[in-house]
Amino acid sequence: MKIYAIGDLHLSLNENIDKPMDKFGPGWEGHPGSVEKAWREIVHDDDIVLVPGDISWALKIEEAMDDFEWIHNLPGLKIISKGNHDLWWSRIKYLNSLYDDIVFLQNDCYAVDACDIVIAASRGWPYPGSDEYTEHDEKIYARELQRMRMGLDAARAARPDSRIIACLHYPPSGADGRETEFTRILEEYGVWKCIYGHLHGMPAFSRGIKGDVRGVEYSLVSLDYLGAKPKLIYDGDADGEAK
């Protein structure tokens, strides 16, 4: 069993939704086909794929069903968390009743049966001091911090000694790796790895925290950064490191 990650699918397969991604630059032309090809080449049915946000351009769950079906038909167990464009996201219990191979993760954790790994998630939000942050973001930022803490509390309760992978949509810090409330929480709970998306285009790719910073391994997994190919996060070896 291996764990992969790819964020920002930005699907719009419903015929009533017109959101072509080509205008956002190289890597987005016909991107669902590129993702599907790479996904089927490397992901097997017993693997897990983490998808940290911006799944669908739909505004309502009903409009997102074509996108969910597309994800459902791909190999592996898919663990999905919320992004800033996932305006369809609501009724979490209903969402989790739809498919046996898609987990919509919020305020909780997912314990992986095949290994000592637990997944927790939060949408995150622009952090104070970042270019996107304004005073209007304070309440949402605080709420997402609480959601992250709820997921990590659930992870520690479910598997006290397991390694934790945290899924965020927004980067929790910048390229300088400076402390933020999010990085402090991740360090407090001893998170093993943190993945995030949201950043698109060459200038933006350099603005996110990456590598080992104070004991947490950070990876940017937005679709265009990965060239539409899911990134290996855990390969099932004895020490748990992705090769």
Side-chain angles (χ1 to χ4, degrees):
M1 189 279 298
K2 297 181 180 181
I3 299 176
Y4 297 88
I6 184 168
D8 304 272
L9 299 180
H10 284 292
L11 298 171
S12 56
L13 301 177
N14 184 290
E15 62 181 10
N16 296 318
I17 298 175
D18 182 23
K19 282 284 189 177
M21 294 294 293
D22 300 12
K23 64 182 180 182
F24 292 101
W28 290 106
E29 302 88 350
H31 73 282
S34 300
V35 173
E36 180 173 2
K37 182 177 184 294
W39 191 308
R40 292 189 180 280
E41 286 175 351
I42 65 175
V43 178
H44 298 90
D45 286 339
D46 58 349
D47 293 333
I48 292 174
V49 182
L50 310 176
V51 190
D54 281 4
I55 313 302
S56 170
W57 283 110
L59 299 179
K60 301 177 181 179
I61 291 175
E62 294 74 19
E63 296 172 339
M65 290 304 300
D66 291 330
D67 299 330
F68 297 162
E69 283 293 316
W70 184 87
I71 296 170
H72 165 63
N73 287 325
L74 293 172
L77 173 69
K78 284 71 71 169
I79 299 180
I80 290 175
S81 51
K82 187 178 182 180
N84 59 304
H85 289 299
D86 291 318
L87 302 181
W88 51 268
W89 188 288
S90 65
R91 297 185 287 164
I92 191 70
K93 289 184 179 180
Y94 172 71
L95 287 170
N96 277 314
S97 73
L98 295 174
Y99 302 97
D100 59 5
D101 63 347
I102 301 178
V103 175
F104 296 86
L105 192 57
Q106 179 176 283
N107 301 343
D108 205 347
C109 71
Y110 181 86
V112 181
D113 290 335
C115 61
D116 65 336
I117 290 175
V118 188
I119 315 296
S122 166
R123 176 176 54 176
W125 203 249
Y127 53 88
S130 67
D131 292 340
E132 295 181 76
Y133 185 85
T134 72
E135 61 182 15
H136 302 294
D137 294 309
E138 183 177 353
K139 288 184 178 180
I140 302 176
Y141 184 72
R143 184 179 66 198
E144 292 300 327
L145 286 168
Q146 184 61 27
R147 289 190 185 281
M148 186 79 265
R149 191 174 288 278
M150 290 173 69
L152 293 173
D153 281 339
R156 280 290 169 239
R159 298 267 190 87
D161 299 319
S162 288
R163 293 167 293 183
I164 299 174
I165 299 176
C167 302
L168 288 165
H169 181 64
Y170 283 89
S173 181
D176 58 1
R178 67 180 178 128
E179 286 191 349
T180 67
E181 288 297 323
F182 265 106
T183 65
R184 282 192 281 272
I185 287 176
L186 299 179
E187 293 165 29
E188 174 188 341
Y189 284 83
V191 167
W192 176 44
K193 297 191 178 202
C194 174
I195 64 163
Y196 64 91
H198 185 67
L199 301 179
H200 302 302
M202 289 299 296
F205 292 155
S206 62
R207 296 205 297 263
I209 185 172
K210 300 182 187 71
D212 189 312
V213 180
R214 296 183 296 276
V216 181
E217 183 72 24
Y218 294 91
S219 296
L220 170 60
V221 297
S222 56
L223 185 150
D224 49 335
Y225 182 73
L226 298 181
K229 180 181 179 180
K231 176 182 175 66
L232 181 63
I233 302 298
Y234 166 78
D235 70 357
D237 69 344
D239 63 7
E241 294 297 331
K243 295 289 193 287

